[in-house]
Amino acid sequence: MSVGSFQARQTNSRHDGTCACPTAEQQLEFLQRIQSLFEDGNFSATYKYALLMALAELAVELGEDNGNELPLEMAKIGEKFAELYWPQTVQYVSGVAGTLCDVLKQNHGAQAGAINELLNLREAGANTLSKAKNLPNWPSAVQRITETVRTMPIKHLQVLGGRQVPFLYDYPLPHGKLVLKAGVMFNLRTFHSLIQQLARNGWISHIRQIHFNREIVGPTDDLERFMFGTSRNSLQAVLPILAKLQSGRCFYCDGDIRTGGHVDHFIPWSRFSRDLAHNFVLAHTGCNSFKSDMLAARIHLDNWVRRNEKYGAEIAGNFGEAGFVGDEAGILSVASWAYGQAVTSGGIAWVESKVTEPVSPAYLAVFG
Ligand SMILES: [Zn+2]
């Protein structure tokens, strides 16, 4: 099937003004094109992986489950880049004897420009992302990163076999924005986890191939945790804040947490890997372990939404000091997406212990 027919069928509008969701066949074709990006695309730096992850995350945070186009401001994409690269701008410490400690290179030649911009922010005194965002030179750094994204990965991401295959967005871009084509937002939302994992794996293996990094990274190191995980130290920092907010009780079973407790991502990290302040809850280690990578059941969802409504500002303030970004509206959109996907795919949610229940459409009432 040609690219042309793919575009033509997706631009069919429905009576309500929205575009029809992509058919199963169109979804499959989209996945094949994503696959060919990884197989045939030329990735000289890690920017293209970051761009794909940025587009997928923005489709979840700002989009809806329909087949429409999604216009994205370039500045939003630049900011997302800064967030994705931020954890990777500290020195990597392997622990394997004989390796050097240094910031990993993201490019075969000189260090990637986006990294240098973020390193400058760290030198200006920001040791966390939320502090970096409060620096007076944050906007200008993001502006320069945005310009790099516009002139490099956006131009090159869809080049396959030496020619532009614009299946994600039209290129050249309209001024100041990138428009995800009809059907793309829907597909990025539907296949977010898959695309995220493909991009991560590609990014990690690219990092390993860069000659400079071979002196730094041990052959068996868990780079994924370093590049995309949450640092355990920073989670420890929010534990007392949550303990106070929840009066020392488990978010899920309401039992007393006598010692320790575990900081849980309410929307599981495996589904959406962004450390937003309002997504954290404190739970018994046992409850956390039973919940694992599942969504939480409706009773917990209602409690979580209510908690954020009531304490949203307080959470943003306290967690900001601990280094986490607050985006109450953003995490609510992510939750609405995650539960919406679960309804569509017949997913289950965790109630307590080993008890689960199907995620029914009634769950979605909480999102209005
Ligand atoms: Zn519990």
Side-chain angles (χ1 to χ4, degrees), residues 249-257 282-288 350:
R249 310 191 81 81
C250 173
F251 184 81
Y252 296 111
C253 73
D254 201 37
D256 231 0
I257 297 179
L282 184 64
H284 284 121
T285 305
C287 287
N288 179 258
W350 175 79

Side-chain angles (χ1 to χ4, degrees), residues 78-342:
E79 191 169 11
K80 188 60 93 177
F81 250 65
E83 288 185 10
L84 284 169
Y85 276 105
W86 179 262
Q88 303 182 32
T89 55
V90 291
Q91 290 205 332
Y92 180 76
V93 183
S94 164
V96 173
T99 51
L100 303 172
C101 298
D102 209 333
V103 175
L104 296 171
K105 271 202 176 162
Q106 303 281 344
N107 204 343
H108 281 293
Q111 179 60 288
I115 294 287
N116 289 330
E117 291 290 347
L118 298 175
L119 287 173
N120 288 341
L121 296 174
R122 284 196 184 269
E123 270 176 31
N127 59 354
T128 66
L129 185 60
S130 66
K131 284 184 186 157
K133 288 191 173 204
N134 285 327
L135 287 176
N137 43 352
W138 168 260
S140 57
V142 169
Q143 203 174 11
R144 286 188 294 272
I145 292 172
T146 304
E147 187 54 18
T148 303
V149 177
R150 191 180 68 75
T151 53
M152 294 174 71
I154 284 182
K155 183 175 175 187
H156 297 296
L157 180 66
Q158 303 179 115
V159 173
L160 294 169
R163 67 184 180 97
Q164 282 280 349
V165 183
F167 74 105
L168 294 167
Y169 48 85
D170 282 326
Y171 189 86
L173 303 179
H175 184 68
K177 62 183 176 181
L178 176 152
V179 182
L180 294 179
K181 294 169 85 90
V184 170
M185 167 179 74
F186 179 93
N187 285 326
L188 289 176
R189 290 167 68 85
T190 303
F191 302 113
H192 177 270
S193 299
L194 182 67
I195 290 167
Q196 176 178 267
Q197 205 51 51
L198 281 171
R200 279 184 179 186
N201 291 347
W203 193 336
I204 291 166
S205 84
H206 194 92
I207 286 284
R208 285 189 185 279
Q209 283 164 16
I210 292 172
H211 196 258
F212 177 85
N213 295 339
R214 290 184 190 165
E215 307 282 324
I216 304 171
V217 182
T220 55
D221 283 2
D222 181 4
L223 265 187
E224 183 159 13
R225 180 177 289 282
F226 171 75
M227 291 166 64
F228 308 112
T230 311
S231 115
R232 288 185 197 282
N233 287 347
S234 41
L235 284 186
Q236 281 307 112
V238 300
L239 202 145
I241 303 173
L242 285 169
K244 194 172 166 204
L245 191 70
Q246 295 175 205
S247 308
R249 310 191 81 81
C250 173
F251 184 81
Y252 296 111
C253 73
D254 201 37
D256 231 0
I257 297 179
R258 290 177 196 279
T259 52
H262 198 101
V263 178
D264 179 52
H265 291 88
F266 185 78
I267 301 298
W269 177 261
S270 59
R271 289 172 200 243
F272 199 79
S273 312
R274 201 176 162 213
D275 272 326
L276 293 174
H278 300 88
N279 195 31
F280 291 122
V281 297
L282 184 64
H284 284 121
T285 305
C287 287
N288 179 258
S289 164
F290 278 124
K291 176 174 174 263
S292 186
D293 288 339
M294 283 186 271
L295 291 171
R298 188 172 178 195
I299 183 171
H300 306 308
L301 174 63
D302 288 348
N303 287 339
W304 177 73
V305 169
R306 270 205 302 276
R307 180 203 73 170
N308 285 343
E309 278 170 3
K310 195 168 172 189
Y311 299 109
E314 195 179 329
I315 291 172
N318 291 340
F319 281 71
E321 281 172 31
F324 289 100
V325 175
D327 180 358
E328 203 177 333
I331 191 62
L332 199 63
S333 301
V334 170
S336 166
W337 159 78
Y339 281 94
Q341 294 289 326

Side-chain angles (χ1 to χ4, degrees), residues 21-66:
C21 296
T23 63
E25 191 187 354
Q26 288 167 333
Q27 292 178 36
L28 187 59
E29 189 174 0
F30 175 84
L31 286 179
Q32 285 169 334
R33 291 202 175 278
I34 291 286
Q35 190 169 281
S36 64
L37 279 190
F38 288 99
E39 288 171 351
D40 308 332
N42 178 17
F43 288 64
S44 62
T46 58
Y47 284 154
K48 286 196 222 173
Y49 303 108
L51 177 58
L52 203 54
M53 284 171 73
L55 296 180
E57 285 191 14
L58 289 169
V60 167
E61 289 171 23
L62 305 175
E64 294 173 2
D65 288 317
N66 60 45

